[in-house]
């Protein structure tokens, strides 16, 4: 099983039959695809790649090989957040009174609020990918556009922070604030599944800030993104994975590729 990163290895390794399945980290989606396609060319059997769906589902694209499977949502983190694992984490790190008060005051649950903010960032990511903008989202300062005090989101400040946080490996144009706003509005459509628009790392970063004052009373170090993602993996029970399309897809892959075995779990 070839996966994108170490976090994916930690998650899927819980359900893999490690006696018969070796998990290899390729360090990025493009590398997983490249490796599988090269192995396909050489008619190598017994290799399966698992990648994040990213925006491919929204773009209407399918994997370039039957030996590449995608996550149910934008990425593995979104799969976990969409499951009851989030409830377990909120029960552990959130404050019950604050969570109830938040829902009453805002008219939305903590998850609904996360998704509404994450959609904007997701659409900006999608627009940047489509237009090859020179924007870099890794290391983005979420505090620049999200108020820790009341968990409020400022779209204009997000655009400003994204323009400031440019560069990296990309060498494309830097969009104006007006171009960003217009592109997000153009992409925004109610039929788009928020779980495919939002990036899981963004949602967890937003949740981290919310759990410090509004949804809970935690120190920043205790709810940093990496730690929350670890908590989600621990709370993501086997039965949640068994309900996913990815699980079914892996089962079908095993049926098409005997005698290779990937999974150690089986549906009841």
């Amino acid at each position: 099983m070839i996966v994108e990163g170490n976090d994916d290895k930690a998650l899927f390794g819980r359900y893999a039959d490690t006696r018969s399945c070796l998990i290899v980290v390729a360090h990025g989606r493009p590398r997983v695809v490249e490796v599988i396609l090269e192995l396909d060319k050489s008619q190598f059997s017994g290799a399966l790649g698992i990648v994040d769906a990213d925006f491919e589902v929204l773009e209407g694209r399918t994997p370039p090989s039957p030996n590449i499977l995608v996550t149910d949502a934008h990425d593995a983190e979104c799969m976990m957040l969409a499951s009851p694992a989030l409830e377990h984490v909120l029960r552990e790190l959130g404050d019950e009174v604050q969570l109830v008060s938040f829902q009453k005051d805002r008219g939305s649950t903590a998850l609904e609020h996360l998704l509404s903010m994450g959609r904007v960032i997701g659409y900006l990511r999608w627009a940047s990918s489509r237009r090859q903008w020179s924007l870099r989202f890794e290391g983005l300062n979420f505090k620049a556009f999200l108020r820790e005090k009341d968990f409020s989101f400022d779209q204009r400040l997000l655009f400003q922070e994204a323009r400031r946080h440019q560069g990296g490996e990309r060498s494309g144009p830097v969009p104006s604030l007006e171009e960003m706003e217009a592109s997000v509005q153009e992409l925004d459509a109610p039929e788009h599944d928020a779980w495919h628009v939002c990036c899981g790392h963004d949602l967890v970063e937003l949740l981290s800030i919310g759990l410090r004052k509004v949804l809970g009373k935690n120190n920043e170090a205790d709810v940093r993104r990496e730690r929350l993602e670890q908590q989600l993996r621990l709370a993501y029970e086997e039965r949640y994975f068994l309900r996913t399309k990815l699980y079914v897809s892996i089962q079908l892959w095993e049926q098409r590729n005997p005698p290779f075995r990937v999974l150690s779990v089986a549906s009841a």
Side-chain angles (χ1 to χ4, degrees):
M1 182 196 298
I2 304 174
V3 297
E4 293 188 30
N6 289 315
D7 289 348
D8 300 306
K9 180 179 181 179
L11 176 63
F12 298 124
R14 296 174 60 186
Y15 316 115
D17 185 344
T18 54
R19 295 168 301 178
S20 59
C21 177
L22 174 67
I23 304 177
V24 179
V25 177
H27 301 291
R29 190 183 200 278
R31 287 287 295 159
V32 176
V33 174
E34 178 186 351
V35 169
I36 291 295
L37 292 182
E38 283 298 318
L39 292 175
D40 285 352
K41 285 181 183 178
S42 64
Q43 297 184 326
F44 182 92
S45 58
L48 169 66
I50 297 180
V51 297
D52 292 340
D54 289 342
F55 298 109
E56 298 296 282
V57 172
L58 296 175
E59 292 281 10
R61 292 195 285 262
T62 56
S65 166
N67 294 316
I68 297 176
L69 305 179
V70 300
T71 52
D72 287 34
H74 187 99
D75 46 41
E77 287 73 26
C78 278
M79 282 179 58
M80 293 187 289
L81 287 166
S83 78
L86 176 61
E87 298 173 21
H88 298 321
V89 172
L90 288 176
R91 193 175 298 118
E92 183 71 23
L93 298 173
D95 181 275
E96 184 177 359
V97 174
Q98 287 178 293
L99 287 165
V100 171
S101 177
F102 178 86
Q103 183 169 348
K104 181 180 179 181
D105 294 342
R106 300 292 181 92
S108 61
T109 65
L111 176 57
E112 289 168 342
H113 188 58
L114 287 174
L115 290 174
S116 69
M117 296 185 291
R119 281 181 76 99
V120 180
I121 308 173
Y123 280 128
L124 184 60
R125 283 178 175 270
W126 192 7
S128 180
S129 176
R130 274 187 162 190
R131 292 163 174 75
Q132 295 297 299
W133 286 340
S134 182
L135 299 181
R136 184 164 54 92
F137 291 90
E138 184 178 354
L140 199 66
N141 180 17
F142 279 62
K143 289 182 181 179
F145 52 86
L146 185 67
R147 284 169 50 112
E148 186 175 309
K149 182 178 180 180
D150 59 4
F151 207 27
S152 61
F153 177 86
D154 191 312
Q155 178 174 296
R156 191 75 172 180
L157 291 180
L158 163 65
F159 296 158
Q160 291 177 359
E161 170 61 14
R163 288 193 86 248
R164 185 194 68 79
H165 194 67
Q166 60 180 281
E169 296 180 358
R170 291 179 179 269
S171 58
V174 179
S176 66
L177 299 179
E178 290 70 28
E179 286 177 310
M180 290 184 184
E181 184 174 10
S183 296
V184 167
Q185 289 179 350
E186 179 186 338
L187 287 172
D188 192 359
E191 64 268 21
H192 290 155
D193 185 344
W195 289 115
H196 280 288
V197 176
C198 298
C199 169
H201 289 316
D202 293 341
L203 293 178
V204 179
E205 198 74 64
L206 294 167
L207 177 62
S208 170
I209 294 176
L211 284 170
R212 297 170 198 173
K213 291 187 183 300
V214 177
L215 305 178
K217 302 172 184 176
N218 298 278
N219 296 322
E220 182 174 346
D222 293 334
V223 290
R224 66 186 187 275
R225 177 175 64 81
E226 294 81 5
R227 182 162 185 177
L228 282 180
E229 290 175 354
Q230 182 184 52
Q231 294 273 1
L232 282 167
R233 286 194 297 273
L234 292 173
Y236 191 68
E237 300 176 18
E238 180 179 294
R239 57 196 174 110
Y240 307 151
F241 179 65
L242 297 183
R243 299 172 191 162
T244 64
K245 295 177 182 176
L246 176 58
Y247 167 72
V248 174
S249 296
I250 296 175
Q251 280 192 314
L252 293 174
W253 184 90
E254 288 179 328
Q255 292 171 17
R256 295 193 306 266
N257 295 272
F260 299 108
R261 181 174 176 83
V262 174
L263 299 169
S264 63
V265 295
S267 59

